[in-house]
Amino acid sequence: MLPMHRSVNGDRLQHTLEQLAYYSDTPAPAMTRVLFSPVDMAARRYIRDLCEAVEMQIRMDAVGNLFARWEGVAPDLAAIAIGSHIDAIPYSGQFDGTVGVLGAIEAIRTLQGTGERPLRSIELLLFTAEEPTRFGIGCLGSRALAGVLSPAELRLLSDETGEDFDTVRLAAGMTGELEDVRLPEDYYHAFIELHIEQGPILEREGIPIGVVTAIAAPATLHLTVEGEGGHAGTVLMPDRKDALTAAAAMVLAVEQIAATNPSPDAVATVGRLQVFPGAVNSIPSSVQLDVDVRDIQGPNRDAILDEIRRRVHEIAEERGVKLEAVLVNCDPPATCDPRLIHVIEQAAEELRLPTQPMVSRAYHDALFMATLCPTAMVFIPSHGGISHRPDEYTSLESIVQGVEVLVGALKRLAW
Ligand code: HGY
Ligand code: MN
Ligand code: MN
């Protein structure tokens, strides 16, 4: 029996978005919320309080994934999972991830308002560290849930200060065994993630709802360039092995390889570069840089990665510097479940909301949840396609529409 429900409470949802935005290490509208930082811990506490206030059973696993369950009348049936992340890269926006977490809570509150309990439990998932900011790898929590990141690999992770993941998570109160994080394949019946598009298509086409069919394949290459340091005044140009000029040539090669690839979905970015010793009058002796490479087609992404690795080693050779290239992650793309896509399209149709099937060029926790259970994503428009910037914006109307579709999908899946 599908419960009739009142529509989503937009004011309440707006309030929770504004409250969550307070927890940032940079002044509004820029968001910075890095894994297990004090603002991240306070934001997690806020989400917990919201869930506890609406009779959801809460648990936290050893890596900090938060689970809030609204128990169904048949608790032994595999639950329907919904959710996203609340961590935010430095100087980013207020909507990436958060609309999927707060929208999920609002969807559950809306359904609770019908006075009817679902057959299947509905479980909110707040994934730990979707962003790679602190430990250099994205989707840390969903990888661990899906067994893509093993306890041994988790123990090898360390941040820029040299603190290892295990120490940091225990200090943050994330107790429990890393060996207990992985979920069995049949643990969830389905997973749906509501997320901003982070691209221009929906707004440009005037379509309120995107239904994701596939999620891009991300890879990250960590390069360490070792040259010879020295005095900026006394070492003459022919005698130099400058690590930074070599790294600069590598950065331009990365851009050139992706920009000239025939695939329009091929992208490659160097977003982080650290120079040592970093003195104005000292020739850089060492440079660390991270290369983010993606394409919707896995094989094409791999070909780009191979070309980049070949070219940067060539540049190192030409310039007489040493190069170490470490592949941090190289993930397959994900395909969303056709039946879930149909459920989302039906829910949108019932609301008379036009939909557009589309690929996601950003990665999401759904990329790894898709290895655990049937998975799909609902996109809502990003103004100007802007994301990972303080001026990231999605209207409350669009967010409410996304949550209404999520409610419609849950009515079809959990009852
Ligand atoms: O980088 C991404 O695609 C995601 O926003 N973390
Ligand atoms: Mn992001
Ligand atoms: Mn995100």
Side-chain angles (χ1 to χ4, degrees), residues 85 96 130-132 195 198 292 294 361-364 388:
H85 65 98
D96 174 4
E130 190 272 349
E131 300 293 4
H195 203 285
Q198 298 180 294
D292 176 308
R294 310 185 196 196
R361 294 195 166 97
Y363 61 72
H364 303 281
H388 282 190

Side-chain angles (χ1 to χ4, degrees), residues 51-83:
C51 294
E52 281 165 355
V54 286
E55 63 154 305
M56 293 169 81
Q57 295 158 16
I58 311 270
R59 78 176 179 90
M60 189 90 83
D61 71 11
V63 298
N65 291 311
L66 185 145
F67 305 79
R69 176 167 288 221
W70 178 28
E71 190 149 280
V73 292
D76 296 341
L77 287 179
I80 308 294
I82 52 177

Side-chain angles (χ1 to χ4, degrees), residues 156-171:
L156 291 175
L157 296 176
S158 62
D159 66 12
E160 268 176 7
T161 67
E163 274 207 296
D164 67 277
F165 175 73
D166 221 10
T167 306
V168 169
R169 63 120 182 160
L170 289 168

Side-chain angles (χ1 to χ4, degrees), residues 33 55 120 129 138 154 169 203 209 222 228 252 269 331 384:
R33 201 160 38 235
E55 63 154 305
R120 291 180 183 276
L154 282 163
R169 63 120 182 160
E203 183 184 59
I209 299 291
H222 183 80
E228 262 172 39
L252 289 174
T269 315
D331 304 293

Side-chain angles (χ1 to χ4, degrees), residues 370-381:
T371 66
L372 266 183
C373 66
T375 290
M377 292 190 76
V378 178
F379 270 1
I380 50 179

